[in-house]
Structures are given as C-alpha cells and as structure tokens.
Amino acid sequence: MSVVEINFDGLIGPSHNYAGLSLGNLASARNAGAVSQPRAAALQGLAKMRANIALGLTQGLLLPHDRPDEAWLGELGTRYAEAEPHLQACALSASAMWAANAATISPAPDSADGRCHLTVANLVTMPHRSHEWPGTLAQLQLAFAHDAFAVHAPVPAPFGDEGAANHMRLCRDHGAPAIEVFVYGESGGPFPARQHVEASRAVARRHGLPPERTMFVRQSDAAIAAGAFHNDVVAVANEHVLFTHELAFADREAVYAELRRKLPEIEIVEVPAAAVSLEDAIRSYLFNAQLVTLPMGDMALILPSEARETPAVWRWLEAHVAGNGPIRRLEVVDVRQSMANGGGPACLRLRVVCDPALVDPRFLLDGRKIAQLEALVEAHWPEQIGAADIGNPELIRQIRAARQALLEMLDLNTLAQR
Ligand code: SUG
C-alpha cells in the first residue's frame, strides 16, 4: 500500500464539559458554565469519522485520556477529591479530543533520514492542556511503534508548542517532499500567543527538515486578538492549495512570495476581509475545515454547520465552488458540542501521511468498529455534565468506567493509567 493521508480523530471523552478554561478562545469563554452533553458530543465526532470513511478517506482514532488526571494533581500535591474547583476542572478536561494539538508531524518524504517524525506538543500555555502530553506520548508510541516512525517527547518549557494546529504542509501531492510552514505568534493583545517560534524551530531541527523547504511565519496579531488562538482557525493547507484569510499572517505578501518561489504550482485561495470579516471567519470556523483530497483527486472542504449558518461565509463558499477554484465540494458536519469549546472539524483530527500498514491497527477505524464505538458511547458516556457536577464522585466513577470499557473494547489496556 502506498502512502496516504490518515486523519486520526480524537474521540470526545466522557468528561467533556464547559469550564471556560481557554483564555483567547472566544467560544470556550462564551460557553463557560453551560451544560455539556458528552454522549451527544462523542456521537457527533464518530458521525464525522463515519462520513469521512464514506468519502473514501482513511480514518484513525486517538483515545480520550485518563481523567481526572490524578498523576498531575499528585505532582501538585493534591488529589481530585480535595483539589480546589479550578484544579478539578483542569484535571477533568477532555481537551485531548482536539488531536490537531497532539503533535507536529513531518512525514517521511520531508525528513533527512526518510522516517516520519512526530513531536508531541507540550501545550504549556494553558494549564488544563499542559498535562496532556504524557497520555499523547503513550498513545503515539504504541500507534507508531514501527521504526519507519520516530516519536519525540515534547520540546521543553517555556517554549509553547501546540502541534499541528500551527503547521501546514504544501506539496505537489501527499507523497512528495513538502514545504513545511510553521506559524508562530508573538502577541495577541489581551490573549496569549500559544506557539513560540523557538518551539517551532526545535521541532524542525529534530525532524531533520532541510532549511530550504522550511518556513517560519508569524501569525498576525490581529488574528490572535480576534480569537484565532491557533493558525488553523484562519488558514488550512492541503497538497498544493493554501486556503487562508487575508489577515492570517503578519506579512502576507512576503509569505505568499516565498511560497510561490518554493512551490511554483501552489494555489493560494485567499478570502478577503471585505468578503468575510475575521470575526465571521472565527465565529463560523470557515478555515477550521478539513481540506482533503478525495480518491478521484478533487478536493473537498469538510465544514462545521456554523459555516453554513453564517451568510457571508456561505455566500463566499458557494461562489467559489460555482467558479473554477480548487475546492470542488462542500461537506457539512455537525460537531456543535466541540465547537462550543472552540474545536471545529480540523481541531478534532491529526493528519499523518504514511503507509497505513505500518500503523498499529488498533488505532485505525472502519465502519464496523465505528458502530461498536457508537454502542459503547451510548452505553457508558454521561448524558450531561453541568458546572455543579464537576466534584460529584458518582460522575467521576462513571467517567472512569466509560474509559475502561473503551480500553477493553480496543484491546488497549496498557493505556489504563494514561
Ligand atoms: O485549546 N478548547 C481548546 C480548543 C482547541 C482547538 N484546536 C485547534 N484549533 N486546533 C483550546 O482552546 C476549551 C476547554 C474548556 O474551556 O473547558 C479548550 O481547551
């Protein structure tokens, strides 16, 4: 089997809730204290995975982590039952669902040693995400145990790294050497810039990327200030297409010129601010879409329903598809439960270009396995979690039992403590 792009989606965990933990993520702040629906959330995510398989795409899975994270609380000198509410919320967060933040991937064609390199993100900027990395590392070490892969531990603090959400590959086709674009932030006014350029440079060095095929691009301060806490909220790339908002980058002319010089066949599809404001782009998550190549070679954009409900966004998309642009097809998915925490279709997936035969099959999905997962979620995931439930021991018992049932179903009990 040749090299393909696999989308590994994070299964939305049984502890999914709205604690308003992410400064600079407007949806998370807006929904702080709302009642979440973990069961419906996980089913929405699974429906997206099923739809992508139906499109002919290769689908993988990453698992929710062991929550609440007692190991992390232990390092802080406490336990869940005794911790203050804000630490309880951080320990309980299901934020590992946003697999685009799990790691940065440089596929084999891009690296000097011909291996596919994966660096787990440290996510140090947000306390509730800073303890994801050990669980992610454990899963990636299992899934990518073949020596065609090199799985790296995170870049050390204080250099914040948020993984593939700030990384784009541009290339003739998935199997060809790519220009890897690392997008970093410097300041977003009241909001933190989560991706540090030193972290991006470290990842590129570890992955053995040739300098002539690597770019470090500064995200615009305006984008961060408007709520684009990751680059994948304002831009997405697939093969030779860059789909971006006009205000995504600090110096767009220089970025486009360098990209055109490095990859002459590039198509840059820029959405002008006059057609779609940054505000509409961020509210609708137009760019947090999965831009994918279908088996027949044409490109589809897998969008959240919020994009269809935002008039300026939908108008722009319909005009693009009616014209001669590279995006030929629009697929709308309902991931509202994740969207309400600022996670769209693209946040939920980690892309790895490789031969699927080299991946541990326990992390790969087909329709039958998705049906089993749906039944498991129906049986075990809590129906809802409100702010007052966070300290409820019965809820915690249910969350742990749900994950345990998942590990047993997938034959992944070795992840029990992670
Ligand atoms: O890191 N939300 C996530 C959303 C991540 C989206 N990922 C990408 N854009 N790739 C975040 O801000 C909210 C959790 C809470 O508020 O309970 C949260 O962590």
Side-chain angles (χ1 to χ4, degrees):
M1 172 104 185
S2 59
V3 153
V4 296
E5 176 180 276
I6 311 176
N7 283 275
F8 288 85
D9 274 48
L11 176 64
I12 299 177
S15 70
H16 159 64
N17 72 93
Y18 299 123
L21 299 174
S22 265
L23 177 65
N25 170 342
L26 304 183
S28 153
R30 205 166 37 238
N31 291 296
V35 175
S36 69
Q37 297 180 299
R39 192 181 301 166
L43 293 173
Q44 287 171 359
L46 285 163
K48 168 166 100 77
M49 300 180 221
R50 186 191 284 290
N52 285 356
I53 290 175
L55 288 174
L57 305 174
T58 308
Q59 186 65 49
L61 179 77
L62 291 173
L63 278 58
H65 296 185
D66 182 30
R67 294 293 176 263
D69 189 345
E70 289 286 9
W72 181 68
L73 290 171
E75 287 174 35
L76 293 168
T78 188
R79 297 186 300 133
Y80 193 77
E82 290 155 11
E84 293 162 67
H86 75 278
L87 283 184
Q88 284 188 325
C90 286
L92 192 64
S93 178
S95 52
M97 72 176 81
W98 298 298
N101 304 119
T104 305
I105 317 298
S106 297
D110 301 355
S111 69
D113 64 1
R115 296 167 88 194
C116 174
H117 289 258
L118 305 89
T119 290
V120 174
N122 62 28
L123 294 162
V124 290
T125 307
M126 295 288 156
H128 69 289
R129 305 210 63 180
S130 66
H131 57 104
E132 277 175 42
W133 70 263
T136 303
L137 183 60
Q139 290 193 44
L140 297 188
Q141 281 171 336
L142 279 182
F144 303 102
H146 192 282
D147 62 10
F149 301 98
V151 178
H152 305 269
V155 170
F159 306 119
D161 178 20
E162 304 256 333
N166 295 310
H167 176 254
M168 301 183 290
R169 272 188 97 223
L170 285 144
C171 45
R172 198 181 57 242
D173 55 63
H174 289 311
I179 310 303
E180 293 205 11
V181 182
F182 293 79
V183 184
Y184 63 92
E186 281 193 356
S187 106
F191 300 144
R194 298 201 208 174
Q195 182 73 37
H196 198 290
V197 68
E198 284 303 339
S200 301
R201 290 190 188 282
V203 171
R205 281 191 296 268
R206 289 159 158 220
H207 291 191
L209 303 180
E212 65 280 9
R213 280 198 273 106
T214 309
M215 286 171 62
F216 300 95
V217 167
R218 183 173 165 190
Q219 191 179 11
S220 79
D221 295 348
I224 301 175
F229 53 95
H230 292 133
N231 174 65
D232 69 1
V233 175
V234 280
V236 60
N238 180 55
E239 295 188 325
H240 68 289
V241 175
L242 171 64
F243 178 45
T244 179
H245 192 271
E246 181 185 356
L247 303 178
F249 308 115
D251 186 351
R252 59 191 259 282
E253 296 294 355
V255 174
Y256 298 170
E258 191 175 347
L259 279 169
R260 289 194 175 107
R261 191 168 53 73
K262 288 183 172 353
L263 189 74
E265 61 265 60
I266 194 168
E267 274 192 74
I268 299 177
V269 180
E270 183 192 83
V271 179
V276 175
S277 65
L278 253 188
E279 193 192 0
D280 270 352
I282 291 168
R283 189 181 321 109
S284 67
Y285 265 35
L286 164 61
F287 297 96
N288 201 261
Q290 289 180 252
L291 182 58
V292 293
T293 305
L294 300 175
M296 299 306 284
D298 46 343
M299 286 197 197
L301 195 62
I302 299 161
L303 294 143
S305 15
E306 287 78 352
R308 191 167 49 194
E309 290 156 11
T310 308
V313 166
W314 199 248
R315 249 193 325 272
W316 188 91
L317 285 167
E318 289 198 313
H320 180 88
V321 172
N324 255 342
I327 302 167
R328 303 307 321 145
R329 186 166 161 181
L330 306 175
E331 294 289 326
V332 175
V333 293
D334 174 2
V335 287
R336 284 180 198 280
Q337 283 286 312
S338 168
M339 283 287 286
N341 248 340
C347 297
L348 286 163
R349 64 91 172 92
L350 181 68
R351 292 183 278 187
V352 182
V353 168
C354 68
D355 178 349
L358 304 179
V359 178
D360 186 317
R362 292 175 293 182
F363 293 88
L364 295 175
L365 291 180
D366 56 20
R368 196 182 56 87
K369 209 154 150 188
I370 289 185
Q372 289 171 346
L373 286 166
E374 285 167 339
L376 186 104
V377 164
E378 292 275 9
H380 293 278
W381 261 231
E383 203 172 333
Q384 53 180 50
I385 301 180
D389 303 322
I390 298 278
N392 178 351
E394 174 50 28
L395 173 73
I396 302 308
R397 194 204 53 73
Q398 189 183 359
I399 287 168
R400 290 196 187 289
R403 182 168 186 273
Q404 190 52 40
L406 174 71
L407 295 182
E408 277 159 28
M409 190 199 116
L410 296 175
D411 189 21
L412 279 167
N413 242 316
T414 56
L415 292 170
Q417 301 306 317
R418 293 263 61 122

PDB file of all heavy atoms in Angstrom, residues 127-159:
ATOM      1  N   PRO A 127      -3.011  25.723  31.462  1.00  0.00           N
ATOM      2  CA  PRO A 127      -2.821  24.689  32.496  1.00  0.00           C
ATOM      3  C   PRO A 127      -3.608  23.401  32.216  1.00  0.00           C
ATOM      4  O   PRO A 127      -3.068  22.304  32.397  1.00  0.00           O
ATOM      5  CB  PRO A 127      -3.325  25.377  33.773  1.00  0.00           C
ATOM      6  CG  PRO A 127      -3.111  26.841  33.516  1.00  0.00           C
ATOM      7  CD  PRO A 127      -3.314  27.045  32.040  1.00  0.00           C
ATOM      8  N   HIS A 128      -4.863  23.528  31.743  1.00  0.00           N
ATOM      9  CA  HIS A 128      -5.658  22.303  31.560  1.00  0.00           C
ATOM     10  C   HIS A 128      -5.143  21.448  30.415  1.00  0.00           C
ATOM     11  O   HIS A 128      -5.481  20.267  30.329  1.00  0.00           O
ATOM     12  CB  HIS A 128      -7.146  22.640  31.355  1.00  0.00           C
ATOM     13  CG  HIS A 128      -7.463  23.310  30.053  1.00  0.00           C
ATOM     14  ND1 HIS A 128      -7.113  24.599  29.753  1.00  0.00           N
ATOM     15  CD2 HIS A 128      -8.123  22.851  28.949  1.00  0.00           C
ATOM     16  CE1 HIS A 128      -7.540  24.919  28.539  1.00  0.00           C
ATOM     17  NE2 HIS A 128      -8.147  23.877  28.028  1.00  0.00           N
ATOM     18  N   ARG A 129      -4.331  22.034  29.522  1.00  0.00           N
ATOM     19  CA  ARG A 129      -3.791  21.251  28.414  1.00  0.00           C
ATOM     20  C   ARG A 129      -2.337  20.830  28.658  1.00  0.00           C
ATOM     21  O   ARG A 129      -1.821  19.956  27.951  1.00  0.00           O
ATOM     22  CB  ARG A 129      -3.917  22.046  27.104  1.00  0.00           C
ATOM     23  CG  ARG A 129      -5.360  22.502  26.827  1.00  0.00           C
ATOM     24  CD  ARG A 129      -5.678  22.616  25.369  1.00  0.00           C
ATOM     25  NE  ARG A 129      -5.581  21.318  24.711  1.00  0.00           N
ATOM     26  CZ  ARG A 129      -5.806  21.111  23.419  1.00  0.00           C
ATOM     27  NH1 ARG A 129      -6.141  22.122  22.649  1.00  0.00           N
ATOM     28  NH2 ARG A 129      -5.696  19.913  22.883  1.00  0.00           N
ATOM     29  N   SER A 130      -1.695  21.437  29.658  1.00  0.00           N
ATOM     30  CA  SER A 130      -0.263  21.208  29.874  1.00  0.00           C
ATOM     31  C   SER A 130       0.035  19.786  30.347  1.00  0.00           C
ATOM     32  O   SER A 130       1.182  19.359  30.314  1.00  0.00           O
ATOM     33  CB  SER A 130       0.272  22.204  30.899  1.00  0.00           C
ATOM     34  OG  SER A 130      -0.332  21.943  32.159  1.00  0.00           O
ATOM     35  N   HIS A 131      -1.003  19.061  30.789  1.00  0.00           N
ATOM     36  CA  HIS A 131      -0.753  17.693  31.269  1.00  0.00           C
ATOM     37  C   HIS A 131      -1.268  16.639  30.287  1.00  0.00           C
ATOM     38  O   HIS A 131      -1.395  15.475  30.638  1.00  0.00           O
ATOM     39  CB  HIS A 131      -1.338  17.493  32.677  1.00  0.00           C
ATOM     40  CG  HIS A 131      -2.811  17.760  32.794  1.00  0.00           C
ATOM     41  ND1 HIS A 131      -3.745  16.749  32.892  1.00  0.00           N
ATOM     42  CD2 HIS A 131      -3.512  18.912  32.813  1.00  0.00           C
ATOM     43  CE1 HIS A 131      -4.958  17.289  32.981  1.00  0.00           C
ATOM     44  NE2 HIS A 131      -4.841  18.593  32.930  1.00  0.00           N
ATOM     45  N   GLU A 132      -1.548  17.076  29.041  1.00  0.00           N
ATOM     46  CA  GLU A 132      -1.977  16.094  28.035  1.00  0.00           C
ATOM     47  C   GLU A 132      -0.820  15.259  27.500  1.00  0.00           C
ATOM     48  O   GLU A 132      -1.015  14.120  27.084  1.00  0.00           O
ATOM     49  CB  GLU A 132      -2.608  16.811  26.824  1.00  0.00           C
ATOM     50  CG  GLU A 132      -4.057  17.179  26.980  1.00  0.00           C
ATOM     51  CD  GLU A 132      -4.570  17.994  25.799  1.00  0.00           C
ATOM     52  OE1 GLU A 132      -4.236  17.663  24.649  1.00  0.00           O
ATOM     53  OE2 GLU A 132      -5.297  18.968  26.034  1.00  0.00           O
ATOM     54  N   TRP A 133       0.387  15.874  27.471  1.00  0.00           N
ATOM     55  CA  TRP A 133       1.434  15.257  26.669  1.00  0.00           C
ATOM     56  C   TRP A 133       1.821  13.823  27.086  1.00  0.00           C
ATOM     57  O   TRP A 133       2.072  12.997  26.195  1.00  0.00           O
ATOM     58  CB  TRP A 133       2.658  16.169  26.531  1.00  0.00           C
ATOM     59  CG  TRP A 133       3.478  16.364  27.765  1.00  0.00           C
ATOM     60  CD1 TRP A 133       3.406  17.390  28.645  1.00  0.00           C
ATOM     61  CD2 TRP A 133       4.497  15.485  28.257  1.00  0.00           C
ATOM     62  NE1 TRP A 133       4.303  17.219  29.659  1.00  0.00           N
ATOM     63  CE2 TRP A 133       4.988  16.060  29.446  1.00  0.00           C
ATOM     64  CE3 TRP A 133       5.046  14.274  27.815  1.00  0.00           C
ATOM     65  CZ2 TRP A 133       5.996  15.457  30.202  1.00  0.00           C
ATOM     66  CZ3 TRP A 133       6.048  13.667  28.561  1.00  0.00           C
ATOM     67  CH2 TRP A 133       6.516  14.257  29.734  1.00  0.00           C
ATOM     68  N   PRO A 134       1.846  13.477  28.404  1.00  0.00           N
ATOM     69  CA  PRO A 134       2.252  12.082  28.693  1.00  0.00           C
ATOM     70  C   PRO A 134       1.267  11.059  28.095  1.00  0.00           C
ATOM     71  O   PRO A 134       1.690  10.011  27.598  1.00  0.00           O
ATOM     72  CB  PRO A 134       2.259  12.021  30.220  1.00  0.00           C
ATOM     73  CG  PRO A 134       2.396  13.455  30.677  1.00  0.00           C
ATOM     74  CD  PRO A 134       1.641  14.247  29.648  1.00  0.00           C
ATOM     75  N   GLY A 135      -0.015  11.389  28.148  1.00  0.00           N
ATOM     76  CA  GLY A 135      -1.011  10.478  27.568  1.00  0.00           C
ATOM     77  C   GLY A 135      -0.885  10.392  26.060  1.00  0.00           C
ATOM     78  O   GLY A 135      -1.017   9.317  25.458  1.00  0.00           O
ATOM     79  N   THR A 136      -0.614  11.536  25.435  1.00  0.00           N
ATOM     80  CA  THR A 136      -0.447  11.543  23.980  1.00  0.00           C
ATOM     81  C   THR A 136       0.797  10.759  23.579  1.00  0.00           C
ATOM     82  O   THR A 136       0.768   9.946  22.640  1.00  0.00           O
ATOM     83  CB  THR A 136      -0.330  13.007  23.483  1.00  0.00           C
ATOM     84  OG1 THR A 136      -1.490  13.715  23.913  1.00  0.00           O
ATOM     85  CG2 THR A 136      -0.205  13.063  21.982  1.00  0.00           C
ATOM     86  N   LEU A 137       1.879  10.996  24.321  1.00  0.00           N
ATOM     87  CA  LEU A 137       3.132  10.294  24.007  1.00  0.00           C
ATOM     88  C   LEU A 137       2.915   8.776  24.090  1.00  0.00           C
ATOM     89  O   LEU A 137       3.337   8.021  23.200  1.00  0.00           O
ATOM     90  CB  LEU A 137       4.228  10.754  24.987  1.00  0.00           C
ATOM     91  CG  LEU A 137       5.622  10.182  24.779  1.00  0.00           C
ATOM     92  CD1 LEU A 137       6.176  10.530  23.400  1.00  0.00           C
ATOM     93  CD2 LEU A 137       6.587  10.693  25.869  1.00  0.00           C
ATOM     94  N   ALA A 138       2.228   8.339  25.142  1.00  0.00           N
ATOM     95  CA  ALA A 138       1.995   6.897  25.311  1.00  0.00           C
ATOM     96  C   ALA A 138       1.226   6.330  24.111  1.00  0.00           C
ATOM     97  O   ALA A 138       1.559   5.247  23.601  1.00  0.00           O
ATOM     98  CB  ALA A 138       1.222   6.655  26.614  1.00  0.00           C
ATOM     99  N   GLN A 139       0.224   7.056  23.648  1.00  0.00           N
ATOM    100  CA  GLN A 139      -0.562   6.545  22.508  1.00  0.00           C
ATOM    101  C   GLN A 139       0.245   6.557  21.209  1.00  0.00           C
ATOM    102  O   GLN A 139       0.197   5.602  20.436  1.00  0.00           O
ATOM    103  CB  GLN A 139      -1.821   7.393  22.317  1.00  0.00           C
ATOM    104  CG  GLN A 139      -2.825   7.186  23.429  1.00  0.00           C
ATOM    105  CD  GLN A 139      -4.181   7.773  23.083  1.00  0.00           C
ATOM    106  OE1 GLN A 139      -4.682   7.618  21.966  1.00  0.00           O
ATOM    107  NE2 GLN A 139      -4.795   8.430  24.044  1.00  0.00           N
ATOM    108  N   LEU A 140       0.974   7.642  20.980  1.00  0.00           N
ATOM    109  CA  LEU A 140       1.728   7.711  19.714  1.00  0.00           C
ATOM    110  C   LEU A 140       2.841   6.668  19.692  1.00  0.00           C
ATOM    111  O   LEU A 140       3.149   6.102  18.638  1.00  0.00           O
ATOM    112  CB  LEU A 140       2.283   9.127  19.488  1.00  0.00           C
ATOM    113  CG  LEU A 140       1.240  10.234  19.345  1.00  0.00           C
ATOM    114  CD1 LEU A 140       1.903  11.557  18.924  1.00  0.00           C
ATOM    115  CD2 LEU A 140       0.135   9.890  18.352  1.00  0.00           C
ATOM    116  N   GLN A 141       3.423   6.398  20.870  1.00  0.00           N
ATOM    117  CA  GLN A 141       4.464   5.358  20.898  1.00  0.00           C
ATOM    118  C   GLN A 141       3.893   3.992  20.549  1.00  0.00           C
ATOM    119  O   GLN A 141       4.567   3.166  19.938  1.00  0.00           O
ATOM    120  CB  GLN A 141       5.138   5.332  22.280  1.00  0.00           C
ATOM    121  CG  GLN A 141       6.150   6.455  22.425  1.00  0.00           C
ATOM    122  CD  GLN A 141       6.685   6.603  23.836  1.00  0.00           C
ATOM    123  OE1 GLN A 141       6.021   6.197  24.796  1.00  0.00           O
ATOM    124  NE2 GLN A 141       7.866   7.205  23.981  1.00  0.00           N
ATOM    125  N   LEU A 142       2.657   3.755  20.921  1.00  0.00           N
ATOM    126  CA  LEU A 142       2.019   2.479  20.555  1.00  0.00           C
ATOM    127  C   LEU A 142       1.605   2.475  19.085  1.00  0.00           C
ATOM    128  O   LEU A 142       1.896   1.537  18.335  1.00  0.00           O
ATOM    129  CB  LEU A 142       0.750   2.271  21.378  1.00  0.00           C
ATOM    130  CG  LEU A 142       0.846   1.729  22.794  1.00  0.00           C
ATOM    131  CD1 LEU A 142      -0.566   1.572  23.352  1.00  0.00           C
ATOM    132  CD2 LEU A 142       1.570   0.375  22.813  1.00  0.00           C
ATOM    133  N   ALA A 143       0.924   3.526  18.675  1.00  0.00           N
ATOM    134  CA  ALA A 143       0.359   3.564  17.319  1.00  0.00           C
ATOM    135  C   ALA A 143       1.459   3.570  16.262  1.00  0.00           C
ATOM    136  O   ALA A 143       1.313   2.978  15.191  1.00  0.00           O
ATOM    137  CB  ALA A 143      -0.530   4.791  17.156  1.00  0.00           C
ATOM    138  N   PHE A 144       2.567   4.261  16.580  1.00  0.00           N
ATOM    139  CA  PHE A 144       3.639   4.423  15.586  1.00  0.00           C
ATOM    140  C   PHE A 144       4.926   3.763  16.075  1.00  0.00           C
ATOM    141  O   PHE A 144       6.003   4.356  16.075  1.00  0.00           O
ATOM    142  CB  PHE A 144       3.842   5.915  15.284  1.00  0.00           C
ATOM    143  CG  PHE A 144       2.583   6.582  14.803  1.00  0.00           C
ATOM    144  CD1 PHE A 144       1.818   7.368  15.646  1.00  0.00           C
ATOM    145  CD2 PHE A 144       2.137   6.370  13.500  1.00  0.00           C
ATOM    146  CE1 PHE A 144       0.636   7.963  15.205  1.00  0.00           C
ATOM    147  CE2 PHE A 144       0.953   6.951  13.055  1.00  0.00           C
ATOM    148  CZ  PHE A 144       0.199   7.749  13.901  1.00  0.00           C
ATOM    149  N   ALA A 145       4.775   2.506  16.524  1.00  0.00           N
ATOM    150  CA  ALA A 145       5.923   1.782  17.097  1.00  0.00           C
ATOM    151  C   ALA A 145       6.897   1.291  16.010  1.00  0.00           C
ATOM    152  O   ALA A 145       8.071   1.034  16.284  1.00  0.00           O
ATOM    153  CB  ALA A 145       5.420   0.597  17.912  1.00  0.00           C
ATOM    154  N   HIS A 146       6.441   1.168  14.783  1.00  0.00           N
ATOM    155  CA  HIS A 146       7.294   0.701  13.676  1.00  0.00           C
ATOM    156  C   HIS A 146       8.473   1.657  13.486  1.00  0.00           C
ATOM    157  O   HIS A 146       8.324   2.867  13.664  1.00  0.00           O
ATOM    158  CB  HIS A 146       6.444   0.645  12.398  1.00  0.00           C
ATOM    159  CG  HIS A 146       7.120  -0.086  11.290  1.00  0.00           C
ATOM    160  ND1 HIS A 146       8.126   0.482  10.528  1.00  0.00           N
ATOM    161  CD2 HIS A 146       6.927  -1.330  10.799  1.00  0.00           C
ATOM    162  CE1 HIS A 146       8.528  -0.391   9.613  1.00  0.00           C
ATOM    163  NE2 HIS A 146       7.814  -1.507   9.761  1.00  0.00           N
ATOM    164  N   ASP A 147       9.632   1.103  13.107  1.00  0.00           N
ATOM    165  CA  ASP A 147      10.782   2.013  13.033  1.00  0.00           C
ATOM    166  C   ASP A 147      10.789   2.912  11.795  1.00  0.00           C
ATOM    167  O   ASP A 147      11.735   3.669  11.573  1.00  0.00           O
ATOM    168  CB  ASP A 147      12.115   1.294  13.274  1.00  0.00           C
ATOM    169  CG  ASP A 147      12.384   0.235  12.235  1.00  0.00           C
ATOM    170  OD1 ASP A 147      11.630   0.218  11.249  1.00  0.00           O
ATOM    171  OD2 ASP A 147      13.339  -0.555  12.419  1.00  0.00           O
ATOM    172  N   ALA A 148       9.710   2.875  11.038  1.00  0.00           N
ATOM    173  CA  ALA A 148       9.526   3.893  10.000  1.00  0.00           C
ATOM    174  C   ALA A 148       9.176   5.245  10.632  1.00  0.00           C
ATOM    175  O   ALA A 148       9.169   6.279   9.955  1.00  0.00           O
ATOM    176  CB  ALA A 148       8.400   3.478   9.047  1.00  0.00           C
ATOM    177  N   PHE A 149       8.853   5.204  11.939  1.00  0.00           N
ATOM    178  CA  PHE A 149       8.449   6.436  12.636  1.00  0.00           C
ATOM    179  C   PHE A 149       9.456   6.771  13.733  1.00  0.00           C
ATOM    180  O   PHE A 149      10.074   5.876  14.322  1.00  0.00           O
ATOM    181  CB  PHE A 149       7.078   6.251  13.308  1.00  0.00           C
ATOM    182  CG  PHE A 149       5.986   5.884  12.349  1.00  0.00           C
ATOM    183  CD1 PHE A 149       5.593   4.547  12.192  1.00  0.00           C
ATOM    184  CD2 PHE A 149       5.346   6.858  11.591  1.00  0.00           C
ATOM    185  CE1 PHE A 149       4.591   4.195  11.298  1.00  0.00           C
ATOM    186  CE2 PHE A 149       4.336   6.520  10.704  1.00  0.00           C
ATOM    187  CZ  PHE A 149       3.954   5.182  10.559  1.00  0.00           C
ATOM    188  N   ALA A 150       9.573   8.051  14.035  1.00  0.00           N
ATOM    189  CA  ALA A 150      10.350   8.499  15.202  1.00  0.00           C
ATOM    190  C   ALA A 150       9.427   9.388  16.025  1.00  0.00           C
ATOM    191  O   ALA A 150       9.021  10.456  15.565  1.00  0.00           O
ATOM    192  CB  ALA A 150      11.586   9.273  14.756  1.00  0.00           C
ATOM    193  N   VAL A 151       9.073   8.909  17.217  1.00  0.00           N
ATOM    194  CA  VAL A 151       8.174   9.676  18.088  1.00  0.00           C
ATOM    195  C   VAL A 151       9.027  10.400  19.128  1.00  0.00           C
ATOM    196  O   VAL A 151       9.772   9.772  19.874  1.00  0.00           O
ATOM    197  CB  VAL A 151       7.151   8.745  18.788  1.00  0.00           C
ATOM    198  CG1 VAL A 151       6.250   9.547  19.722  1.00  0.00           C
ATOM    199  CG2 VAL A 151       6.312   7.995  17.748  1.00  0.00           C
ATOM    200  N   HIS A 152       8.911  11.730  19.146  1.00  0.00           N
ATOM    201  CA  HIS A 152       9.727  12.538  20.052  1.00  0.00           C
ATOM    202  C   HIS A 152       8.896  13.079  21.209  1.00  0.00           C
ATOM    203  O   HIS A 152       7.741  13.480  21.021  1.00  0.00           O
ATOM    204  CB  HIS A 152      10.315  13.749  19.321  1.00  0.00           C
ATOM    205  CG  HIS A 152      11.101  13.402  18.088  1.00  0.00           C
ATOM    206  ND1 HIS A 152      12.456  13.164  18.108  1.00  0.00           N
ATOM    207  CD2 HIS A 152      10.722  13.246  16.793  1.00  0.00           C
ATOM    208  CE1 HIS A 152      12.876  12.887  16.875  1.00  0.00           C
ATOM    209  NE2 HIS A 152      11.844  12.928  16.057  1.00  0.00           N
ATOM    210  N   ALA A 153       9.521  13.152  22.380  1.00  0.00           N
ATOM    211  CA  ALA A 153       8.898  13.798  23.549  1.00  0.00           C
ATOM    212  C   ALA A 153       8.790  15.299  23.270  1.00  0.00           C
ATOM    213  O   ALA A 153       9.410  15.815  22.340  1.00  0.00           O
ATOM    214  CB  ALA A 153       9.745  13.524  24.782  1.00  0.00           C
ATOM    215  N   PRO A 154       8.002  16.012  24.087  1.00  0.00           N
ATOM    216  CA  PRO A 154       7.795  17.437  23.790  1.00  0.00           C
ATOM    217  C   PRO A 154       9.054  18.284  23.891  1.00  0.00           C
ATOM    218  O   PRO A 154       9.998  17.937  24.600  1.00  0.00           O
ATOM    219  CB  PRO A 154       6.796  17.879  24.865  1.00  0.00           C
ATOM    220  CG  PRO A 154       6.244  16.658  25.461  1.00  0.00           C
ATOM    221  CD  PRO A 154       7.217  15.556  25.227  1.00  0.00           C
ATOM    222  N   VAL A 155       9.018  19.411  23.215  1.00  0.00           N
ATOM    223  CA  VAL A 155      10.019  20.464  23.370  1.00  0.00           C
ATOM    224  C   VAL A 155       9.878  21.002  24.802  1.00  0.00           C
ATOM    225  O   VAL A 155       8.763  21.130  25.303  1.00  0.00           O
ATOM    226  CB  VAL A 155       9.697  21.595  22.351  1.00  0.00           C
ATOM    227  CG1 VAL A 155      10.538  22.833  22.605  1.00  0.00           C
ATOM    228  CG2 VAL A 155       9.851  21.090  20.926  1.00  0.00           C
ATOM    229  N   PRO A 156      10.992  21.285  25.480  1.00  0.00           N
ATOM    230  CA  PRO A 156      10.859  21.733  26.878  1.00  0.00           C
ATOM    231  C   PRO A 156      10.220  23.114  27.025  1.00  0.00           C
ATOM    232  O   PRO A 156      10.329  23.961  26.141  1.00  0.00           O
ATOM    233  CB  PRO A 156      12.313  21.751  27.380  1.00  0.00           C
ATOM    234  CG  PRO A 156      13.165  21.771  26.160  1.00  0.00           C
ATOM    235  CD  PRO A 156      12.396  21.154  25.048  1.00  0.00           C
ATOM    236  N   ALA A 157       9.584  23.298  28.185  1.00  0.00           N
ATOM    237  CA  ALA A 157       9.060  24.621  28.554  1.00  0.00           C
ATOM    238  C   ALA A 157      10.263  25.556  28.685  1.00  0.00           C
ATOM    239  O   ALA A 157      11.376  25.090  28.934  1.00  0.00           O
ATOM    240  CB  ALA A 157       8.328  24.509  29.888  1.00  0.00           C
ATOM    241  N   PRO A 158      10.109  26.847  28.521  1.00  0.00           N
ATOM    242  CA  PRO A 158       8.842  27.581  28.414  1.00  0.00           C
ATOM    243  C   PRO A 158       8.380  27.814  26.980  1.00  0.00           C
ATOM    244  O   PRO A 158       7.488  28.629  26.756  1.00  0.00           O
ATOM    245  CB  PRO A 158       9.191  28.925  29.065  1.00  0.00           C
ATOM    246  CG  PRO A 158      10.609  29.157  28.613  1.00  0.00           C
ATOM    247  CD  PRO A 158      11.254  27.782  28.577  1.00  0.00           C
ATOM    248  N   PHE A 159       8.952  27.104  26.018  1.00  0.00           N
ATOM    249  CA  PHE A 159       8.618  27.390  24.623  1.00  0.00           C
ATOM    250  C   PHE A 159       7.333  26.666  24.239  1.00  0.00           C
ATOM    251  O   PHE A 159       7.345  25.466  23.949  1.00  0.00           O
ATOM    252  CB  PHE A 159       9.774  26.988  23.707  1.00  0.00           C
ATOM    253  CG  PHE A 159      11.082  27.622  24.125  1.00  0.00           C
ATOM    254  CD1 PHE A 159      12.164  26.844  24.490  1.00  0.00           C
ATOM    255  CD2 PHE A 159      11.205  29.008  24.184  1.00  0.00           C
ATOM    256  CE1 PHE A 159      13.355  27.426  24.889  1.00  0.00           C
ATOM    257  CE2 PHE A 159      12.394  29.611  24.584  1.00  0.00           C
ATOM    258  CZ  PHE A 159      13.478  28.811  24.944  1.00  0.00           C
TER     259      PHE A 159
END
